[in-house]
Amino acid sequence: MKYKITTVVGLLALTTSLFASNGAENLFDSKCAMCHSKTMPQDKSKLIAPPFMGVMRHIKMQYPKKKDAVAFIVDYAQNPSRAKALCKEQKIAKFGLMPSQKGNITLQELQTVASWAFDHYSAANFRGHNTMMLKTKGMNCKHGNCKGMQ
Ligand code: HEC
């Protein structure tokens, strides 16, 4: 009996840790990825929202601290507005304002997704397509100049 309980507790701990590592990305896939692709696709004509790689790049430039970046994402996903949007002009003109995700995702799930996104899109992940593209085109993507992410 004692053995059984230990096994159950052990299994539970295992599933919880598996959930913690994959759950956040799965959440993004099911709640955000229908609009935001995770990487820069080759064919940008079918995009209906900015790829999240670009979104995170801008968020990190504006909010380098995880706490601030997560707070911004959590708030924006619930209450998007032109005034809050980083790089609003090009993105909103192209895709329209993001619809509020209130009711589609809980606050806790949003925090999980935002925290995952901050860790997932690290400097190493930005290297490659996006940064290369900016460099080769001689573009400097600063706040208010977001041509590189579109
Ligand atoms: C129905 C499509 C759709 C879904 C679903 C969606 N988004 Fe968006 N999102 C957009 C569009 C369009 C934009 C660009 C316009 C804007 O910034 O409002 C955007 C922009 C953003 C931005 C950038 C705001 C800025 O301009 O600085 C963040 C952050 C964001 N989304 C987070 C999320 C998260 C997190 C989820 C999942 C919980 C999500 N979005 C789900 C359409 C969507």
Side-chain angles (χ1 to χ4, degrees):
M1 190 61 192
K2 209 176 172 195
Y3 172 75
K4 264 193 187 158
I5 288 174
T6 326
T7 317
V8 170
V9 172
L11 276 177
L12 265 179
L14 184 72
T15 25
T16 318
S17 67
L18 279 178
F19 182 77
S21 54
N22 295 325
E25 185 162 3
N26 289 343
L27 262 180
F28 184 91
D29 290 345
S30 62
K31 307 279 183 180
C32 317
M34 63 284 234
C35 293
H36 294 283
S37 77
K38 280 191 278 193
T39 51
M40 295 291 173
Q42 292 292 337
D43 179 7
K44 299 204 178 81
S45 65
K46 295 196 180 69
L47 289 180
I48 52 168
F52 225 65
M53 184 188 245
V55 169
M56 285 313 295
R57 199 164 186 278
H58 284 91
I59 290 180
K60 285 192 163 190
M61 281 193 283
Q62 190 77 359
Y63 302 105
K65 289 204 194 110
K66 182 168 179 178
K67 183 168 72 66
D68 301 334
V70 167
F72 174 81
I73 298 168
V74 168
D75 175 60
Y76 196 86
Q78 297 178 94
N79 305 300
S81 80
R82 187 173 281 270
K84 281 181 212 161
L86 308 173
C87 302
K88 44 201 154 206
E89 299 314 332
Q90 296 94 328
K91 265 193 306 163
I92 294 178
K94 186 166 175 191
F95 300 114
L97 191 67
M98 167 163 151
S100 169
Q101 296 305 299
K102 255 187 214 163
N104 292 342
I105 183 164
T106 67
L107 185 59
Q108 207 188 351
E109 286 172 331
L110 254 181
Q111 268 155 354
T112 306
V113 165
S115 164
W116 166 81
F118 190 91
D119 295 339
H120 178 71
Y121 295 102
S122 62
N125 281 329
F126 290 137
R127 236 173 271 145
H129 189 98
N130 199 18
T131 320
M132 285 289 286
M133 187 181 74
L134 289 175
K135 274 201 187 131
T136 34
K137 291 194 179 163
M139 280 195 264
N140 193 4
C141 196
K142 287 200 180 109
H143 183 58
N145 173 13
C146 302
K147 292 194 184 81
M149 72 184 279
Q150 290 172 359

